[in-house]
Amino acid sequence: MIKAGLHIVLLFACCAVVKAQTQSDTTWYQLRFQQTVVTQYHPGFSAAYSGANSLQQHEEAQTSLTTTFYTGAKIFRNTFIYFNPEIAGGAGLRRATGVAGFPNGETFRVGNPKPQIYVARLFIEKYIPLGMEKSYRGEEYNAVAAYIPEKYIRLIGGRFAISDFFDNNSFSHDPRTQFLNWSLMGNGAFDYAANTRGYTWGAVAELKLNKVSLRYAASMVPRTANASNMDPDLKNALAQQAEADYRWGTKRKGVIRFLAFMNRADMGVYKNAVALASQNSDTPDVILTRQKGNRKYGFGVNVEKEISDYAGVFARASYNDGRTETWMFTKLITAFQPG
């Protein structure tokens, strides 16, 4: 067992916008910026066992840096385009391993900790009105200030993060402004489509009515687990997720969301790895059992409720079948024990 250690977390975040928006303001463009710096430290400790993916027993400090530029524009009626170049660097403690729910959601399991620039998002958003009523949408990240339909079909295509549209939560979703821990960013068993840095290519369709919303997405998955390159073989490598939410309350709002997902990828099967190792008197290696088109499915429920102007409560519960290896991004490290 590992004795309890001390974590010291220093979080610095800054953001800037072009100008403040009032409800009478609409614009055709957006320009925003956000930077988050997180430093974490743990002292030395003793441990009865340490492996390659355990926390280091000697003291360690690591810093992560993420900088995102949010740009967007209205290009046609009810049609918007968004482009987010991003710079990320640094590392998590022990390369973001050693803790079941890692305490810094701004880190990635990448080999090179030097800052790198890349395209985080590049997508088009189209609203199809289902009525005459409109409501004002104030400017937010990747949301140009505009009047949009109250009821609509929304179509999105391009490069984005699945978490931009699924498994949302007002109190616990974004590690840059809310809880840092991976376990609190979303449903823990949701292995959603993402490359090493959390992004994918795909399409989303959403139907919004008065109190109910339905959405579906299909997107690409990596060629190998936690890889940067995406697999173009959509027949055998594809992530699909569907979500329904119900909203209630006027002064104190609440939302409940139901999520289901199905992934196909070149995933290995734990049971097969154990069987193969027993035949060869060897250590199980799930990589040896990888096969095109293997599947992982799961479910989740996500509830939030305002209780005052300054506080709210939330809860999540999720499940996946656990048969195949984690391929993209789950917030909890799980262990498989045969028998």
Side-chain angles (χ1 to χ4, degrees):
M1 297 182 60
I2 298 177
K3 294 183 178 179
L6 171 68
H7 280 278
I8 298 175
V9 180
L10 302 176
L11 171 63
F12 168 76
C14 65
C15 61
V17 297
V18 174
K19 64 176 183 176
Q21 298 288 324
T22 67
Q23 190 155 339
S24 62
D25 289 330
T26 60
T27 63
W28 64 269
Y29 71 93
Q30 174 187 72
L31 180 60
R32 286 190 170 216
F33 157 84
Q34 184 183 61
Q35 183 178 75
T36 305
V37 180
V38 179
T39 295
Q40 294 186 321
Y41 163 85
H42 74 75
F45 58 87
S46 60
Y49 169 81
S50 291
N53 292 323
S54 301
L55 282 178
Q56 298 183 22
Q57 294 185 50
H58 58 78
E59 65 176 354
E60 181 185 11
Q62 295 288 353
T63 297
S64 66
L65 167 70
T66 309
T67 303
T68 308
F69 296 89
Y70 297 87
T71 67
K74 182 177 181 179
I75 53 177
F76 302 109
R77 183 179 181 182
N78 294 322
T79 306
F80 307 86
I81 187 170
Y82 298 98
F83 173 56
N84 297 171
E86 189 167 79
I87 302 172
L93 299 171
R94 192 58 173 177
R95 305 181 308 277
T97 61
V99 181
F102 197 74
N104 183 0
E106 280 295 280
T107 57
F108 311 99
R109 290 187 178 131
V110 295
N112 186 358
K114 293 182 179 180
Q116 296 184 12
I117 186 169
Y118 51 90
V119 176
R121 299 174 182 86
L122 176 59
F123 65 89
I124 292 177
E125 175 186 56
K126 171 68 175 178
Y127 288 88
I128 301 174
L130 298 179
M132 300 299 294
E133 302 86 356
K134 291 185 177 183
S135 61
Y136 179 74
R137 178 182 71 182
E139 183 181 338
E140 296 291 343
Y141 295 110
N142 290 325
V144 172
Y147 284 90
I148 62 172
E150 285 276 0
K151 303 175 185 177
Y152 57 74
I153 294 174
R154 182 168 65 150
L155 303 176
I156 297 158
R159 182 177 175 85
F160 49 77
I162 286 293
S163 57
D164 293 341
F165 309 110
F166 288 81
D167 198 20
N168 197 0
N169 190 290
S170 302
F171 309 112
S172 181
H173 189 59
D174 184 358
R176 299 184 184 185
T177 58
Q178 298 168 328
F179 296 102
L180 276 169
N181 196 292
W182 282 20
S183 306
L184 296 173
M185 290 161 54
N187 274 306
F190 183 19
D191 192 9
Y192 66 79
N195 65 3
T196 303
R197 299 190 182 276
Y199 303 102
T200 184
W201 293 90
V204 180
E206 180 182 35
L207 169 67
K208 181 182 181 296
L209 302 175
N210 287 327
K211 294 184 177 181
V212 176
S213 294
L214 305 173
R215 63 190 63 88
Y216 166 82
S219 53
M220 300 178 71
V221 302
R223 289 180 181 271
T224 59
N226 195 44
S228 296
N229 297 328
M230 310 306 280
D231 194 335
D233 182 9
L234 299 183
K235 180 180 179 181
N236 296 300
L238 184 70
Q240 299 178 80
Q241 43 272 311
E243 188 175 49
D245 60 50
Y246 175 77
R247 299 172 293 277
W248 74 89
T250 52
K251 184 177 180 181
R252 303 295 179 217
K253 297 180 180 179
V255 185
I256 183 168
R257 301 177 177 88
F258 299 97
L259 171 73
F261 70 92
M262 171 72 77
N263 300 333
R264 292 200 307 272
D266 188 21
M267 297 178 282
V269 180
Y270 291 121
K271 183 178 180 180
N272 294 348
V274 173
L276 182 63
S278 63
Q279 293 175 8
N280 301 325
S281 300
D282 201 355
T283 302
D285 186 352
V286 71
I287 293 177
L288 299 177
T289 67
R290 286 179 176 174
Q291 182 177 345
K292 281 284 187 179
N294 277 336
R295 300 186 179 191
K296 180 188 291 292
Y297 67 87
F299 309 95
V301 61
N302 176 359
V303 185
E304 62 176 88
K305 181 69 171 71
E306 295 178 354
I307 57 175
S308 76
D309 292 340
Y310 308 101
V313 293
F314 69 92
R316 286 188 176 99
S318 58
Y319 163 88
N320 71 48
D321 62 350
R323 188 181 66 89
T324 52
E325 63 180 310
T326 296
W327 198 247
M328 292 163 291
F329 188 77
T330 52
K331 296 83 175 171
L332 307 175
I333 298 174
T334 58
F336 173 79
Q337 183 175 354

